[in-house]
Amino acid sequence: MCRASSFRSQALATLFSALLLASPLPAAADTASGPAATLAMVYRDDVDPTAYWVSEKLDGVRALWDGRVLRFRSGQPIAAPQWFLDGLPRAALDGELWIGRRSFEQLSGIVRKQQPVDDEWRQVRYMVFEMPEAPGSFTERITRIRVATAGGPPWLDAVEQFRVADAAALRRRFERVVAAGGEGLMLHRADAGWVAGRSDVLLKLTPWLDAEARVVAHRPGKGRLQGMLGALEVETPDGRRFRIGSGFSDAQRRTPPAIGTTVTYRYRELTAKGLPRFPRYLRVRELP
């Protein structure tokens, strides 16, 4: 290698190291409250998408890495194999454990095991989209994310971030992603500093909305569903009750989620009374 090329490589390595060292590691998370994370609000048509970086919304499991421990958003540690963790950098990261589109149930079964199975975890990728508490704008943090994931193990990668020219271009990209089996899009303000909690610096654009509720009763089915579940009666955290009657397979209707279980459902919009219109069962909320 010539002297000039060697000098450039050393300078680049020094720059990468400086960028990572400038990203402070947050203090160890309190498992009772969970690590800090930015939570998304819903995209509105009056938002100018040109002010945002855009990425695909991955239907994975949110995972926060503090440089030492990988945790669910709740703060509970994830029992990942040590070789998987050894490949992660010391920088604090936020992202999704992911194995592909329409594969959440399979992924959930892998990451919830207290005794990880190596062959299963070799399918899992850690897709990084944020660096908690790192200074600068999101545009600057994207550079830090790319540095932190570059040259790492094959299961560590940065979520692709791109810009759109206008709302029409955003809608076209959204339609392509959904048609291919994707969840939708995420928009992150380019000039935003890192924030904890729910904020409009991060927006989600999906064909539906989702939420969680607790099962309080089973309503029997009729006709073809005689002897099986007809609908779940559920209660939201603020005490509203409604029924979910669609989205179940026959197997799920024969052995429905137990009373007291928290389930995730999807819906298009809220009624004038604040209840979800056409709620559809998605899955049991099994992750910590």
Side-chain angles (χ1 to χ4, degrees):
M1 180 183 294
C2 71
R3 175 180 292 182
S5 176
S6 176
F7 175 79
R8 285 195 298 270
S9 297
Q10 292 175 8
L12 188 58
T14 300
L15 172 61
F16 283 7
S17 297
L19 282 169
L20 290 180
L21 290 173
S23 301
L25 290 174
D30 177 357
T31 58
S33 59
T38 305
L39 305 179
M41 299 181 71
V42 177
Y43 174 81
R44 307 178 311 275
D45 288 339
D46 62 349
V47 170
D48 176 10
T50 64
Y52 292 76
W53 284 93
V54 184
S55 62
E56 180 175 342
K57 184 180 185 298
L58 303 180
D59 187 22
V61 172
R62 187 82 173 264
L64 293 106
W65 169 249
D66 65 7
R68 296 167 290 271
V69 181
L70 188 67
R71 301 178 187 273
F72 294 108
R73 205 181 84 193
S74 67
Q76 294 297 317
I78 298 172
Q82 192 59 48
W83 57 260
F84 189 96
L85 302 178
D86 289 342
L88 304 182
R90 288 283 295 166
L93 305 173
D94 186 0
E96 296 272 329
L97 297 173
W98 192 65
I99 58 176
R101 292 168 172 167
R102 297 176 177 173
S103 300
F104 178 86
E105 298 299 336
Q106 180 184 357
L107 174 69
S108 174
I110 293 171
V111 303
R112 285 189 295 108
K113 291 178 180 176
Q114 290 303 304
Q115 294 296 325
V117 178
D118 281 357
D119 286 347
E120 294 179 346
W121 271 88
R122 293 193 190 284
Q123 307 172 63
V124 179
R125 298 167 68 193
Y126 187 30
M127 305 296 295
V128 179
F129 51 67
E130 182 59 286
M131 295 193 79
E133 300 186 14
S137 67
F138 184 61
T139 297
E140 293 171 308
R141 295 199 302 283
I142 287 175
T143 299
R144 294 176 182 273
I145 292 167
R146 290 170 178 166
V147 169
T149 57
W155 55 89
L156 177 65
D157 203 356
V159 171
E160 179 192 3
Q161 303 284 346
F162 56 91
R163 305 298 286 266
V164 294
D166 51 33
L170 178 71
R171 182 60 58 176
R172 288 194 296 271
R173 186 64 174 257
F174 168 74
E175 290 173 351
R176 289 201 300 271
V177 166
V178 172
E183 286 278 288
L185 298 176
M186 302 296 297
L187 292 84
H188 201 138
R189 274 198 69 91
D191 62 356
W194 180 83
V195 297
R198 200 163 300 281
S199 171
D200 61 3
V201 305
L202 183 65
L203 304 173
K204 59 182 176 181
L205 173 59
T206 65
W208 48 75
L209 301 171
D210 56 64
E212 295 176 355
R214 182 175 59 88
V215 177
V216 296
H218 296 154
R219 300 303 175 188
K222 300 177 181 179
R224 189 187 73 82
L225 300 180
Q226 186 75 35
M228 296 190 287
L229 175 74
L232 292 177
E233 183 171 339
V234 299
E235 182 176 86
T236 63
D238 61 3
R240 291 173 296 147
R241 291 193 177 193
F242 60 93
R243 295 182 183 184
I244 303 174
S246 64
F248 304 97
S249 66
D250 282 355
Q252 290 168 332
R253 290 186 184 278
R254 294 187 187 97
T255 56
I259 292 174
T261 300
T262 298
V263 299
T264 302
Y265 62 93
R266 285 181 169 167
Y267 63 101
R268 293 286 182 177
E269 59 186 351
L270 295 175
T271 67
K273 295 183 178 180
L275 296 174
R277 190 184 301 278
F278 306 124
R280 183 179 179 83
Y281 174 79
L282 182 59
R283 53 182 168 248
V284 170
R285 173 66 182 181
E286 294 179 309
L287 296 172

